[in-house]
Each structure stands twice: as structure tokens, then as C-alpha cells.
Amino acid sequence: MTYTVSVRALCEFTAKSGDLDLRFTPSPSAQEGIEGHAAVRAKRAPGYQSEISLSGEYKNLLVRGRADGYDPALNRVEEIKTFRGQLEAVPANHRALHWAQAKVYAHLLCVSRKLPEIQVALVYYDIVQREETVLVQTCQAAILEEFFAQQSDLFIDWAEQEVCHRLERDRELQTLPFPHQTFRRGQRQLAETVYKAARQNRCLMAQAPTGIGKTIGTLFPLLKACPTAKLDKIFFLTAKTSGRQLALDALSTIGNKLNESGRLRVQELTAKDKTCEHPDKACHGESCALAKGFYDRLPAARLDAVKAARLDKAALRQIALEHEVCPYWLGQELAKWSDVIVGDYNYFFDSSASLYSLTSNNQWRVGILVDEAHNLLERARKMYSAELNEYDLNALRQSAPAALKKTLNSLARSWRDVSRDQLASYRAYDAIPTKFHTALLKASVVITDYLAEDPHDVNLALQRFNFDVLHFLRLAEVFGSHSVFDISLTPSASTSRRGASGAKLCLRNLIPAPFLETRFTASETATLFSATLSPWEFYRDTLGLPDNTAWVDVESPFDAEQLKVRIVEQVSTRYLHRAQSLAPIAQIMGRQYLEQPGNYLSYFSSFEYLEQAAHEFMHRFPDIPVWTQIRSMDEAAKEQFLDRFKTNRCGIGFAVLGGAFAEGIDLPGQQLIGAFVSTLGLPQVNPVNERLKQCMSTTFGQRCGYDYTYLYPGIQKVVQAAGRVIRSNTDRGVLYLIDDRFARPQVRRLFPAWWEIQSAPVPALPPADRSQQNMLLI
């Protein structure tokens, strides 16, 4: 079996040595790199050839790639590298890697065109100064052939190991049995649909209820499809840490069914700030011992790591420290050699996503599983949004080095000019002001050059501000109708003049579809699954899924008898009616509790509403235990809130819909027997959401504006919260939906099909409260 490797991957494996050194950053953006390559090509003579596809074989190795350029008149192959800052700051081991890539391309070109010799050039293009530096070597074809053989020999043993692993892995997966005795109700339907989508190279959206085992129900069929679909890797992407743990546990269960020779390489990717051993040190050999000699110790660490069946955070750390290398960067390297990678959404969908970059550069065939996919829309909007706060700039001006004072003061003047004429506290614009954009570019260049020239100056505030600016500028390069530029003015604490304390400038993404579309295109198959993906057209449109995306609404394992769903139509929880709604809501909750004591959750649209309702309830029913969610709860406080449900005590927990206790928590059996939802969960009507509504109407049609902005996101939160009540086939419970709008047909059609809904009256109020009840009934 031939092993295929890209020129870049081959050279990164064989030609890197010495220290890990990230001082020569930040690198140009992808768009800047494209423009830099184009600028170099524009200077070349007629007949210059670009993006030349090349390949060559060595034993059972196939090496392929695209050479940046070739000038037949000069007989020169060019490897173009864009950079910013000082060229002298490029570490020697980086240059060695660049030369290795150039020479491999030169060899492949000599073979394909039967050239006896060739000029090999490294072209370093400064994207700021728009100048190029060309380094040239003249090489004989025989010398280049020898160099290519040396590099290939350094890789061939690893390649043979990878070939054997792939053959054994696929052989085992072909006969992989389901890890449990039987499928749960609905689980087989989910698994079959995922498998068919993978075989057909299609995307799939699967709405599957809680309790059917979605994690194994998606992982198992996609693993089974790997041999026939020729998938190199599977990425299991999650929104939360709990989702990662479920996936790792499911993969361990599946892995127990595989023989030792065909076991899966499973890796957990963890954020840098959670894996860094020395957060007080910079990422280079002069500062951090784990960066010094990193590439020299990497081969042994890599070899030990791929022998491990499961590389979660703890296992990866142990191996890294045994070999005295950085755990985070070892993990980045091992992503190239793992079969299944479990990590956060951002590793594939973000603008600088490492897994997406690796997939594209290595032409991997990957299958994607997106867990709790209803979260992807908001997460993606944040990935492709950027915010700059004038407060941060003003604080930085006070502490910045003298060399940057003039630049920062100039930027501050441009900042003030942008918002000077704005009277409203918020306003959205269709374009980024040109003068401010230019000023920001200039400031970024000066700051980046300063940091590159003086890497020992660890000014964290300056670095953080510069990265924020670079992120803003990179999104500005791709600014379009999917986003808006908006300015928010904050009143000063010491003056009534609006905007005195600063203006927040935001590139706010509204529709992430144009960005995510390329991610889905890069995968062979992608399955997005959740208990709440209805209506599926909403998610298909806003997430940029292909038109031929398949859809399945998996049969629920639950029966209508398990959950009594009651709509209370006589109450309005609209903002104008909240004061009148408190008494009847308290009566509904109190009556239900007295009829059936147990644990309940009661959801409200905001902390203010929650606090008012809790006060009213405790006044009317002082003997019923109550505990409430509060603002900014830390992890310990959240655990204490949930522990109240698990200690055999009865009572009602008050929580905010869409918050920490409305999804992702598991309270089976008697831990939770009911829920009250006193809100439709509709996003707040404000200038930002109204602009979003306008964008949705323009992009998807007038009828979609309100539904895509308000209705669908709101009801999704309601159904997620309701899903906390019934977690297994033995659970029984009750759900109260308290608002007249829940009875509307356009709302009810968004509820799960297995629900049977009944109307419920408001319990009689004490005489003093009957005037309020009459107001609500009118």
C-alpha cells in the first residue's frame, strides 16, 4: 500500500529541529498571504508559472504538492513566504524548514521536466513594506535527488508504520460489533442514517431526543463507514467539556471491541490556557524549558504517544512531561496521526482553526460529528465577530512604551472621530470607516514590529490588544452583508455626555453561513445532531450546509404518558404584564407541588423576573423549599445548586431559561419530576436584534425575519429546558408552559411530535388577587 504525504508534511516531520519558537508571530492572515503571493507573481516576467502540481515516488511513498512558482527563463523554482516584522528574526530552524520544502519541490520539478540543474529560491515577502528578499542556490539534479531520498528515508519507517496501522484499523472496523447487546429505541434509526450519509458523502442533520444514546449512535456508524468511505479521520466536535467526556467514554466502550492491533488512536484536544505548564513563560527556548530542544525530543515523544490507546488531557500531559516537551504543542503534532479527535467546535470552525488547516493542507478525507449542534449558530457568530473597546486603548496609552505613544495617540484620535457624530447609544453601519481602518492598520504594523524587535518585552496588555486588533483586521478583510459594523457608546460615570468613557467598535457577524460553508465542503461527510434542530431549514440556512443535506427526525423513545404537557393560556409573561403574572404563576407552581411533592425547576426570561417570581412564591408558600440561580455563579455554586436535587430533598429551583441549568444537566428519576416555563425565551427586542431581523429578511425572505431572529431561537431554549424532565424510559413528569402564546399553532408545531398537550386553568387566587386574575383573562 502506498502512503501519500504532502511536501509540507514531509518536511515538517524531517527538517524541523531545535527549539519551539513562537516569537516570530503573529504571521500574516490567509488573505494577506494570498495577496502577498499575488504581489510577487505580478512582478515576474511573462511566462512565469504559478501553483504547479508536482508529485514523486520513493519506495512506497508518494510525495505531492504545489510549487509556488517557476520561471522558465531563469530556470528558477520559488518558495514564497510572507512575513511581517524583521526578516532577521526568522529563527534558523524555520529557515531550514523553508529550504527543505523548496529543495523537495525543486527535485520533483527536475524529475518531471528532466532538468539537469535548477535555481532554488526562497522569496521572503514583507506584507507591510511590500518588499521581497530573494535567497538563491543553484543545485544539481543529482544533489536534489539525494536530498529527497534523505528526507524520505527519515520518514519511510513512520510511513510504513502508518500504513500497517491504517490497514489493521480498517480491517477491525469492518467487523466492529455494536458495543451493547441491543440498540435503544430510535438509536438504530439514527445509526443507520449516519452510516448512509457517510457512504453517500453527504451532510446530515439529525434531531434525536435525549435518552437514545446519540454519542454512540453517531460514533459507531461513522467508524463502521471509515473503510468503505475511505475516511482518514473523524472529528467529534462539542460545545462543552461534558460533551467531550461523553465522547471519550463512548470511544473507550467501542475500543474495547477492537483487537490490540487495530485499536483506535483517540485524542482529546484541549485549549492552550488549560494545558500550558508554565503560563508565566513565553513560548521559546530561552524562556521555557519545555520549548528548548522541543523538535529534537519530539520524535521519541510522538512514538510513545501513538502507542497509547487514549490520549486524553491527562495521558497526553504525562507523556509530554516524560519527554520534557510542551503538552499543548505535542497535542497539536499528534492531531496529524490520530484516528478520532475530540475537541471544541473552534478547532474546525474558527477562522484560525487548526484541524481545518490540517485537513486542507494534507487533503485528508474527514468525517465530522457536531454534538449539540443547536449551539453552533451562536458560537460561530462569536468566532466571526470582533470587538475593540476604547477603554482598553486608553488604559494601554497610560502604560505603553514611549516608542508606541505617538501611534496609540493617533489611533485614539481616529477612534474619537468615528463616533463623534453618533447621537444614539447604538448604531449599525454597512461599512467600516476608511480612515479608521487605515489608522488601525498603521497601528497594528507599528505594534507588531515593536513586539517582533523586542520579544523580551512581555507586556501582556499590549499583546492582548494587538491580537484583538489583528483579529478585527482579518475579519475586516472578509467583511460583507453577513455582518455589520456597529458602535456602542457608554455613558461616562462622571459626566452625562454620551460616549465620554469610550466607544465599543464591533464587527458583528449575523449569519455565519458564508464562513462555515467552506468547512462543510472540506469534509466528506458531516452529521449535526441535537434534540432541538427544528425547523431544520433554519439551521441549514444560517450554518451554510449544502442544499443536498439530509434530514432525519429520530423516533422518540418516550411515550406521551411519561410527560404531562400543560399550557396555561390565561397568563401573559410579556414585559408589560409581568407584575400581573407573578401571582397566578406562584399559584400554579404551589398547587402542583402540593398535589405532587418533589423536585421541580422553574424557568424565567431574566434574573429580574426570576427574583420577582421567587419573592412572590416564597411569600405565598413559605413552607416549600426554594433555591435560586444567581448572577455570575462559579462552578462550586453551580454544583451546590444541582446538589439540592440529588439529596432526596423536595423543592423548587428557580433558573434562567437558556442559562447553565436549562440544558446539559442530567437529573433522572426522582431528582426532577417537573418544570415550569414562564417565558417563550424570545431574544430581547433591541437595536442589535432588530438589525439581525433586517439581515435575515433580506437574506432569506421577509417571512423569515421574525422567525429566524426571535421565534426559533426562543422555542429551541424552551424545548431544551423541557428535556431536563424526562431522561429515561422510566421517568415520569409534568411540564407547564405558562403563556397564552404557547397555544398558537405556529408555536405548537415547533414542539416535539410525541408531546400530547392539554390546557390547564389558573388555580383560584385568594380574594385579594382576583382583580389581577380578571385582568389576565381579558
Side-chain angles (χ1 to χ4, degrees), residues 215 236 238 240-252 268 310 312 342:
T215 304
F236 190 99
T238 72
K240 300 177 181 178
T241 304
S242 58
R244 293 208 305 269
Q245 190 58 51
L246 286 172
L248 291 170
D249 292 345
L251 286 162
S252 292
E268 177 187 17
R310 170 169 161 162
D312 58 14
V342 180

Side-chain angles (χ1 to χ4, degrees), residues 374-393:
H374 63 275
N375 289 306
L376 182 57
L377 176 57
E378 278 305 313
R379 284 289 305 277
R381 282 174 173 155
K382 292 178 181 178
M383 291 175 196
Y384 293 96
S385 297
E387 183 177 273
L388 296 175
N389 195 328
E390 192 174 5
Y391 175 85
D392 296 332
L393 173 61

Side-chain angles (χ1 to χ4, degrees), residues 13 59-60 152-163:
F13 189 96
K59 298 180 181 178
N60 66 334
S152 298
D153 280 331
L154 290 172
F155 185 71
I156 202 76
D157 288 343
W158 184 269
E160 290 176 354
Q161 169 190 283
E162 291 303 291
V163 168

Side-chain angles (χ1 to χ4, degrees), residues 317-357:
R317 178 177 184 269
Q318 181 180 346
I319 293 171
L321 297 184
E322 285 175 356
H323 291 273
E324 299 181 86
V325 296
C326 172
Y328 175 76
W329 290 106
L330 175 61
Q332 295 299 296
E333 167 66 21
L334 291 172
K336 303 171 185 176
W337 316 111
S338 298
D339 299 309
V340 184
I341 298 174
V342 180
D344 189 86
Y345 291 163
N346 67 284
Y347 284 107
F348 190 73
F349 291 112
D350 191 76
S351 58
S352 56
S354 58
L355 290 182
Y356 172 70
S357 178

Side-chain angles (χ1 to χ4, degrees), residues 210-449:
T210 298
I212 70 166
K214 292 191 289 290
T215 304
I216 279 186
T218 53
L219 274 168
F220 170 72
L222 194 54
L223 286 167
K224 288 284 289 183
C226 279
T228 50
K230 294 181 170 51
L231 297 181
D232 298 312
K233 298 179 186 296
I234 291 174
F235 300 153
F236 190 99
L237 306 171
T238 72
K240 300 177 181 178
T241 304
S242 58
R244 293 208 305 269
Q245 190 58 51
L246 286 172
L248 291 170
D249 292 345
L251 286 162
S252 292
T253 301
I254 293 172
N256 291 334
K257 298 293 183 179
L258 298 172
N259 291 325
E260 183 74 14
S261 61
R263 67 183 176 182
L264 294 169
R265 296 175 184 168
V266 176
Q267 181 187 357
E268 177 187 17
L269 280 182
T270 310
K272 185 178 180 181
D273 61 350
K274 296 181 180 178
T275 53
C276 181
E277 291 290 316
H278 303 293
D280 58 324
K281 294 180 171 58
C283 291
H284 58 81
E286 296 175 17
S287 176
C288 180
L290 298 180
K292 189 171 184 61
F294 174 87
Y295 292 110
D296 300 327
R297 294 191 292 273
L298 176 60
R302 180 170 52 208
L303 186 60
D304 278 356
V306 297
K307 294 176 182 177
R310 170 169 161 162
L311 283 175
D312 58 14
K313 178 183 175 182
L316 185 62
R317 178 177 184 269
Q318 181 180 346
I319 293 171
L321 297 184
E322 285 175 356
H323 291 273
E324 299 181 86
V325 296
C326 172
Y328 175 76
W329 290 106
L330 175 61
Q332 295 299 296
E333 167 66 21
L334 291 172
K336 303 171 185 176
W337 316 111
S338 298
D339 299 309
V340 184
I341 298 174
V342 180
D344 189 86
Y345 291 163
N346 67 284
Y347 284 107
F348 190 73
F349 291 112
D350 191 76
S351 58
S352 56
S354 58
L355 290 182
Y356 172 70
S357 178
L358 285 169
T359 298
S360 300
N361 292 336
N362 294 285
Q363 299 179 42
W364 289 338
R365 294 176 60 87
V366 300
I368 310 297
L369 295 174
V370 183
D371 182 35
E372 299 296 347
H374 63 275
N375 289 306
L376 182 57
L377 176 57
E378 278 305 313
R379 284 289 305 277
R381 282 174 173 155
K382 292 178 181 178
M383 291 175 196
Y384 293 96
S385 297
E387 183 177 273
L388 296 175
N389 195 328
E390 192 174 5
Y391 175 85
D392 296 332
L393 173 61
N394 291 334
L396 187 61
R397 290 166 64 197
Q398 305 302 315
S399 62
L404 297 178
K405 291 283 187 182
K406 181 179 178 180
T407 296
L408 294 176
N409 288 339
S410 177
L411 177 60
R413 288 192 295 273
S414 296
W415 203 307
R416 287 193 295 271
D417 289 342
V418 168
S419 59
R420 189 186 309 279
D421 297 329
Q422 181 171 312
L423 299 178
S425 60
Y426 172 87
R427 184 177 173 185
Y429 302 82
D430 293 324
I432 306 166
T434 303
K435 289 184 179 180
F436 174 74
H437 189 200
T438 302
L440 200 61
L441 279 168
K442 290 179 179 178
S444 173
V445 169
V446 174
I447 296 172
T448 300
D449 287 348

